[in-house]
Each structure stands twice: as structure tokens, then as C-alpha cells.
Amino acid sequence: MTSTSVPEMLSDASLAASLPGGFTSRLAEVGGVRLHYVDGGAGAPLLLLGGWPQTWWQWHKVMPALAQRYRVIAVDLRGMGGSGKPAAGYDKKTMAADIRALVTHLGLASVSIAGHDIGAMVAYAYAANYPGATEKIALLDVPHPDEGWPRFGLLPEADQHVDSVIEAGDRSFLWWFAFNQVQELPELLLGDGRIRLLIDWLFTRQARNPAAIDEHSLDHEPELVQIAAECVGPHRIRRPRQLPRSALDPIEVAHHSAMREEHRLVPPRQTGNG
């Protein structure tokens, strides 16, 4: 097990403090797992749940604007960033229970949630299982897992484009889903700073406007993930295994369409020049 000191400029605490809105980096032991979150702003509580392979930092450009209207709580899901990396518990129902435990820990009765990618799946599972503790949800980029997920193929189908360039159409070959199921190998291949290669590849091909992701954002996101890995050894970065076995509850399937209409998060309108 290695021990690597985190450069001050890349620490969660320093990055949180660099954002307008009074943000601070915090840890909470909830439901048997340690969750890291960044908290700031004032108003109705809004949780931000990120995607793979990112940390809370993926939200840093919108957090100051949101903080003018909401109490913003950007959470590292179990397995990512500064949160704990248990060997199991990556089905979305369990991950939603983590968030519910954090909400209770913070003394909040109900929250709105915006989730991206894996975070969107967790947001949906939270709303489905804890409707009384949910105000609104916004799901970005990905639907909740359904019965079709276990049928993902290892090889691309005829109408799927392998390079994942978003302009090539919606039928991208999601090779990383299978890659992430392999035990231990992804950590070895992406260690020693090589995770930046993966992040650059994904953002260049998957982002609608790659130029909108500046070097400041790219330099900090992979460093946060990589430093977390180096601090406590090769098991630090946990991948979203169990995605095809996502503990779907019947209520999650039956109410999917209805909930997408019922729970909507309306972003604050931009005012003034620019």
C-alpha cells in the first residue's frame, strides 16, 4: 500500500475553496461507506451526482451559478474521488441508499437531484425508492438500466460506430462497459498517470463540444482520480461493475416514464449580459 501526499493545489479542499459560493470539502460516514462531498451556496438543497470516470469536479463550472439560488452539494459516489471504495455495493439501489443516508446525515427532509451518467441512474433509483424525500430530478445523458443491459455484446453490431465520435450517431459501441467488468486489470492499465489518456479519449469523442472543456478542467479531473488511486493502492478506483445487475425494483421499471415527467429540475434563468 502506497502513501502519496496530495499536492495542495489539487486537494479537494483547495479546489472547493477556489470556487465562488463558499464551497467546502467534507466527509461523512454514512450507511457503512465514507462519502466525500463539496457543499456551498444557500437555498433549497440541490445534489449533483456525477458520472464515470469523473469526480465532483466535473460540476465546477456550474456550481457557482447554481450556488446563487441553491445549497449545492456535489457528491463523489462510492467508488470515485474522495469517497470510499468498497468491493461491492455498486448496484444503483445500494448507491441510492448511500445518498439517502447522506441526506439524512445532513438533516434534510427532501432534495432535488441532478445526475449525469452513472449519477443519473442513482438519481432515478433515489427518486423511485424515496419519493417522499425527492423534490425534483434531472437525468443527463443516460436512462436508468433496464432488462436490455445484460444483452450488451462484446463486439460492435453492424450499425454501431466503434470510434464513439458523437457526430457518427447515437449507436456508439460502449466498449468500456465490458472493460470495466474485468477484475483488477483496468487499475493496472490506467495507473501511474495513464488515466489522462482515457479521459482525453472519451471527452474528445463523446463531448458535443470538446473545445468547451479547457485544460484547467482536464488537468484537475484526472489528477483527482489518479491521486486518489495512488494514496491507498490499486483498489482505490472502483469501476461501475454490476451495471447489468442493477437491482432493478419493480417500482423502478413501472414508474420510469411517469417519473421522468413528474420530476423535473428547472435550472435558474441567466440574467444580465452574457
Side-chain angles (χ1 to χ4, degrees):
M1 184 174 295
T2 60
S3 177
T4 303
S5 60
V6 178
E8 179 59 27
M9 64 177 292
L10 295 178
S11 70
D12 284 316
S14 294
L15 290 174
S18 74
L19 301 178
F23 286 98
T24 57
S25 172
R26 302 178 184 275
L27 293 171
E29 295 285 343
V30 293
V33 66
R34 183 188 71 250
L35 292 184
H36 170 256
Y37 62 99
V38 171
D39 192 348
L46 168 62
L47 269 63
L48 304 178
L49 308 182
W52 178 89
Q54 297 161 290
T55 69
W56 70 271
W57 182 248
Q58 77 168 87
W59 303 101
H60 76 278
K61 287 189 176 183
V62 299
M63 288 168 65
L66 291 170
Q68 297 177 23
R69 182 170 176 177
Y70 300 100
R71 177 185 177 184
V72 178
I73 305 163
V75 185
D76 283 336
L77 298 171
R78 72 160 62 199
M80 293 306 298
S83 291
K85 312 296 186 295
Y90 294 93
D91 60 274
K92 301 305 155 277
K93 192 171 184 179
T94 298
M95 296 173 79
D98 292 343
I99 302 305
R100 176 59 180 148
L102 177 63
V103 169
T104 300
H105 171 81
L106 296 174
L108 302 173
S110 61
V111 296
S112 294
I113 305 177
H116 166 249
D117 189 68
I118 300 297
M121 303 176 199
V122 177
Y124 178 80
Y126 182 98
N129 287 282
Y130 310 106
T134 306
E135 293 294 327
K136 301 175 183 178
I137 62 171
L139 309 179
L140 310 179
D141 284 354
V142 67
H144 194 73
D146 59 27
E147 294 86 347
W149 283 49
R151 294 191 291 273
F152 281 173
L154 290 176
L155 297 176
E157 298 176 14
D159 62 338
Q160 287 182 307
H161 51 94
V162 178
D163 196 43
S164 296
V165 176
I166 195 166
E167 286 80 8
D170 295 333
R171 289 280 290 162
S172 174
F173 177 52
L174 306 178
W175 58 266
W176 54 89
F177 279 56
F179 176 73
N180 284 331
Q181 307 307 307
V182 180
Q183 298 291 324
E184 313 306 336
L185 182 61
E187 290 92 338
L188 295 174
L189 293 176
L190 299 177
D192 297 326
R194 290 186 295 272
I195 197 168
R196 174 64 189 260
L197 298 174
L198 173 66
I199 288 176
D200 284 351
W201 193 96
L202 286 171
F203 288 175
T204 299
R205 289 162 173 79
Q206 288 288 306
R208 176 66 67 181
N209 180 15
I213 307 174
D214 56 32
E215 280 298 313
H216 176 68
S217 302
L218 288 171
D219 283 344
H220 287 66
E221 186 69 83
E223 288 295 335
L224 283 173
V225 176
Q226 194 67 50
I227 288 169
E230 294 169 351
C231 282
V232 296
H235 299 287
R236 181 66 173 176
I237 304 176
R238 290 285 178 185
R239 281 94 55 224
R241 296 195 185 102
Q242 302 175 332
L243 278 177
R245 306 166 63 84
S246 55
L248 288 173
D249 188 289
I251 188 175
E252 296 179 351
V253 176
H255 290 204
H256 187 120
S257 297
M259 289 187 61
R260 283 194 301 176
E261 291 299 318
E262 180 179 354
H263 297 282
R264 295 194 177 191
L265 184 64
V266 179
R269 293 183 178 179
Q270 294 290 335
T271 59
N273 296 328

